Amino acid sequence: MKHTLSVLVENKPGVLTRVAGLFARRGFNIESLAVGQSEDPGLSRITITIDGAEHPIDQVTKQLHKLINVVKIRELDASCMVVDELMLVKVNAEGEKRTEALQIAEVFGAKIVDVERRTVVLRVVGSTQKLQALLELLQPLGVLEIVRTGIVAIARGKG
Amino acid sequence: MSQDKKLKGSESLVAALEHEGCEVIFGFPGGVAIPFYDALYDAKRLRHVLVRHEQGAAHAADGYARATGKVGVCVSTSGPGATNLVTGIANAYLDSSPLVAITWQVRSDLIGTDAFQEADITGITLPIVKHSYLVKTTAEVPQVLHEAFHIASTGRPGPVVIDIPVDVALGEIVYRDADTLDLPGYKPTVRGHIKQVRAAAKAINEAQRPVLYLGGGVISADAAPEILRLAESRRLPVATTLMGIGAFPETHELSMGMLGMHGTVTANYAVHECDLLINLGARFDDRVTGKLKAFAPHAKVIHADVDPAEIGKNVPPLIPIVGDVRQVAVGLVKELEGMEWSAERTAEWLARIAARKEEYPLQYEAPADGKLAPQLVIEEIDRVTAHDAIVCTDVGQHQMWATQYYTFTFPRQFISSGGLGTMGFGLPASIGAQIGCPDKTVVDISGDGGFQMTEQELATAMSCGLPIVVCILNNGYLGMVRQWQDLFWNKRYSCTSIETQPDFKLLAEAYGALGLTVTEKDEIEPALREALACPRPAVIDFRTSPQENVFPMVPAGKEITEMIGGQAKKTGGRTS
């Protein structure tokens, strides 16, 4: 089972190391991690996705709470959150492949952000599933490079 | 400290330490620590104890903290000085001891260049600290120290590392005492939830076979008087962990001694049979529980701890309480006062426990090789010091015998490395304990193996004129490993014989301390009396039998019912 944690931390040096290190020490694999400034310039928000199948998530959130620089932890409810991830993909676009790449991009609402003689770069934002589906379609063209931000998530409404 | 005075970073650190009420620090200088040591030269109130190895500084500060309840402080230079502290920091972390470790660091602009004596100590210690700081500016120094003391000593205590680049020591600031905290992410829950406390009180009141299981949390919360009141109010039999020793007087009729791997038969079987296990400030460590699935199989569990992460980590409690153990105990006593209860409810249980105590005492026989029984040496130390010494230990057989055959009566009396199991802890810890408690008798019980890991601190003890008594149970072996080889590894004593060693008497004398060797039973008491009367450090080399093993023993990962040793009472040996 996947868990999405939204962790509010003090914007201080070394905080990310402390958080990431703690997951490793307690035997969790981080699947995705994204960090950036929050609404408060003194605080950053980290969105972490982990697979909690092997260990109960409870223990790691409690341990996370013990880090002095961690201010708040929230496990987001999958049915009540907005999740997005940004991906840049460089694909082979020689000859006929170029048209195909452009068509696929259009269907997925992906933007072409770079065009070269032999490659194009697509930028797409969406759920992990959407990004996966796009990749599968692009695969036959020849995917040269993938860069993903990791997911960011926010709870819906005021909750 | 007068306000608005311009101070260097190093001077402001001294001022800030004094402002926190720190009286003594343990340390060792080095290149980038010189500015700080220069500032110390003029310090009026702050005392510095010069150790002979930084590991000794960390353990001494830890021993000081455990003996006094105050924050212990150690200082080192960068690189090897700082890495030598690491074992001591880990030790304090595992045993939740309030320690502030100040490490000096290479100049800020050299950090990350593999400069001379550079080590990333905040990185290295990340998994073994409660918190750490890499100080960037001189202005932060007072605030960081204030926060460090607060974090180290509140909630679940633990070590805090402060790494300070040397240029920060040289910069100047207008010094102001720091008295406010800005720690939005740190708010330990102290008061247990009243609903939970009430539910726990009800369960205690209704239990027919209750056991009170006390850990180090009772001692760090200074909760022993409240715990005594709680235990007596419902006549709760008490078992302590290694870290909980001293939380409840072992002379009390409700005391069952220690539980766990080398615990008493009475304590372990009481836990096995109880219908309510009340864990206050302990953490269901594997040395206590053995095989988790078979631990306390008939019991409802109440677990109170100031650290929420401990609750449910190993054993899911029926009634969890997050809070300071002292506050929880006060709440429980208050709730229980309003409930009806009759001593008949637990009478049968207490009778069963009393009978078992009588039938299965801790016991030993005179060793067949005619050498001293180590247990007897501890009993004699106990008798001669009238249950009143602060006892520090190393780790191994002697440590377990100390728990078994010394009678502990008050909190902070037993100072031992529990979680990390650090050999070499005893001597430096006893230095810290004696400095913290100058009026107490301090005895370090050690083995010939552990003593040799930090024996250089005898020089520190000498330089401070400390009358500590080091009792080495010298059996020529790394005894606890030998015991496991004996019991579980076909008596293949691989690398556990340490017969080649110094004459400890002469070694002590070389340091200027009193050295004694004891080989016969009737020499034990006179030697102890001579050592205790000596105003200098004393080392007694007790030549004990290598054949002796620590019993009873619940092998690692086994059930309590698979205990080795712990037979019914024999004649001879100890019977009480």
Side-chain angles (χ1 to χ4, degrees), chain B residues 138-163:
Chain B
T138 307
E140 294 170 66
V141 169
Q143 182 63 28
V144 164
L145 191 85
H146 181 54
E147 286 183 9
F149 265 67
H150 176 73
I151 292 169
S153 60
T154 53
R156 178 178 186 172
V160 178
V161 166
I162 308 177
D163 196 28

Side-chain angles (χ1 to χ4, degrees), chain A residues 18 25 59 62 66 68-70, chain B residues 127 131-132 185 307-309 311:
Chain A
R18 288 177 205 272
R25 267 202 309 288
Q59 179 57 213
K62 281 175 170 177
K66 285 171 67 172
I68 308 293
N69 299 133
V70 170
Chain B
H131 195 50
S132 54
D307 179 1
I311 292 179

Side-chain angles (χ1 to χ4, degrees), chain A residues 59-116:
Chain A
Q59 179 57 213
V60 80
T61 56
K62 281 175 170 177
Q63 295 292 347
L64 212 48
H65 260 300
K66 285 171 67 172
L67 297 179
I68 308 293
N69 299 133
V70 170
V71 178
K72 201 174 165 188
I73 304 165
R74 187 164 176 197
E75 186 177 358
L76 297 173
D77 177 354
S79 66
C80 202
M81 64 178 182
V82 178
V83 192
D84 267 314
E85 182 175 4
L86 184 145
M87 176 172 73
L88 299 171
V89 203
K90 190 180 282 177
V91 293
N92 212 337
E94 286 176 288
E96 287 172 13
K97 285 182 177 172
R98 179 181 299 264
T99 325
E100 204 176 327
L102 294 180
Q103 280 173 352
I104 294 170
E106 202 182 339
V107 174
F108 277 83
K111 259 203 155 150
I112 307 296
V113 289
D114 180 62
V115 185
E116 293 275 317

Side-chain angles (χ1 to χ4, degrees), chain B residues 110-121:
Chain B
L110 291 177
I111 289 180
T113 65
D114 302 321
F116 176 65
Q117 292 196 326
E118 182 190 358
D120 172 13
I121 198 65

